[in-house]
Amino acid sequence: MEKTPAVPIRRPPASAKSEQRIRDILHMARQVFSEAGFQAATTTDIAQRLGVSEATIFTYFGGKRELCVRVISDWYDEIITKVEDSLPHVQGARAQLHYLVHAHLRHLLAEGPGLCAFILSEGRARNDDFGEVYAGLQRRYTAPLMRILAQGQADGDIRRDMPLRLLRSTVYGPMEHVLWDAILRGARVDVAATADQLVGFLWQALQPPRQDTLALARFRGEVRDALHRLQASEASEGSEASDGSDDADGPASAPGSANKDGATY
């Protein structure tokens, strides 16, 4: 049996009319997927909203999953293009990090929680032939952050004791929690304020530990260890003294024994 192609085939439009038709299909598919999610969305619904037959959609796309991947791919392409155009004009690792965090939150929430949930959930699909396509998109999307982190490490602005992939998760993890919280609660996110708060927190975590702080931590550890040794030594000496207390005073006098003067006690 022939395997489904791993990369969706983008059929070249034969005319300007066909090109416009593809744009219309993708625009409507983006809307339907945002409203219903991938599982509940249908190509029938997309076709009906466009006022065309379902066969028209299959003329350009092999099925719902291929259409889904194309919608996500186009979304990533849009954001990646904007980031790569703007980021070179931002100077400094912290400022670049702030730009990326703000852009990530803004773009994912720009069209409402429906598209945000669709991108976050379907963009992690690993159970079909398009999983590698999604993985490639995410690598492209996170590549600017990886470059910022690598350059920051080289410049001494970002800690070098952690691998880049873990630092990447340190940045994107909190943002995803913010986004899912907004989706599930239906709460409005103040993107600018949230970006400021996240970057303030993240930058402290990403910076190299200060040498004076490390020295103080080592000193405190040494003092703590010394106190433990002293307490253990005192406890040991006290135990030895207790064990030898009866012998130190000599044998006890028997009741009623006489002293040298003949007096009894």
Side-chain angles (χ1 to χ4, degrees):
M1 181 180 294
E2 184 179 355
K3 186 178 180 181
T4 305
V7 179
I9 300 172
R10 300 190 178 191
R11 296 168 177 78
S15 64
K17 182 178 180 180
S18 296
E19 187 175 352
Q20 182 60 51
R21 176 69 74 192
I22 291 175
R23 285 198 296 267
D24 292 342
I25 292 173
L26 289 171
H27 175 76
M28 188 56 66
R30 186 163 171 165
Q31 181 176 327
V32 172
F33 285 137
S34 299
E35 294 173 2
F38 174 77
Q39 295 298 331
T42 65
T43 51
T44 301
D45 187 18
I46 296 170
Q48 288 177 346
R49 295 196 192 192
L50 284 171
V52 300
S53 68
E54 194 173 10
T56 300
I57 294 178
F58 294 141
T59 300
Y60 302 101
F61 300 96
K64 186 173 74 168
R65 174 56 73 184
E66 184 178 323
L67 185 56
C68 168
V69 174
R70 176 65 185 272
V71 168
I72 293 176
S73 298
D74 285 356
W75 182 87
Y76 271 109
D77 286 341
E78 293 170 12
I79 308 309
I80 291 170
T81 299
K82 293 177 182 177
V83 168
E84 290 182 343
D85 287 345
S86 301
L87 195 56
H89 303 289
V90 181
Q91 301 299 318
R94 192 183 193 283
Q96 290 179 333
L97 176 65
H98 187 280
Y99 171 81
L100 279 182
V101 170
H102 188 274
H104 181 73
L105 297 175
R106 185 178 75 252
H107 292 313
L108 272 166
L109 293 171
E111 298 180 41
L115 180 64
C116 182
F118 171 67
I119 295 294
L120 290 178
S121 58
E122 292 305 317
R124 278 179 170 72
R126 291 290 184 276
N127 57 351
D128 56 37
D129 292 326
F130 296 118
E132 185 55 35
V133 176
Y134 292 136
L137 289 170
Q138 289 172 351
R139 283 194 294 269
R140 286 180 55 211
Y141 185 71
T142 59
L145 174 63
M146 297 296 275
R147 291 195 295 268
I148 292 172
L149 295 174
Q151 186 61 51
Q153 286 184 334
D155 294 339
D157 296 327
I158 292 177
R159 60 192 310 159
R160 301 176 184 177
D161 59 335
M162 296 176 66
L164 290 176
R165 65 180 184 281
L166 187 55
L167 294 178
R168 176 186 59 196
S169 299
T170 301
V171 174
Y172 280 109
M175 290 195 288
E176 184 162 331
H177 280 287
V178 169
L179 292 169
W180 275 117
D181 185 59
I183 292 167
L184 297 175
R185 294 193 303 112
R188 181 181 176 276
V189 176
D190 186 333
V191 172
T194 302
D196 289 344
Q197 293 165 352
L198 279 174
V199 172
F201 165 75
L202 291 170
W203 188 247
Q204 291 187 23
L206 292 172
Q207 284 184 295
R210 292 175 50 181
Q211 293 303 313
D212 55 349
T213 303
L214 290 175
L216 178 60
R218 285 195 296 268
F219 175 72
R220 292 178 62 182
E222 292 170 357
V223 171
R224 183 177 60 250
D225 293 342
L227 286 173
H228 287 166
R229 289 194 298 271
L230 178 61
Q231 291 170 352
S233 176
E234 291 176 344
S236 177
E237 291 176 359
S239 176
E240 292 175 358
S242 175
D243 291 342
S245 60
D246 292 341
D247 296 334
D249 295 332
S253 299
S257 61
N259 64 9
K260 63 182 181 179
D261 298 327
T264 59
Y265 293 93

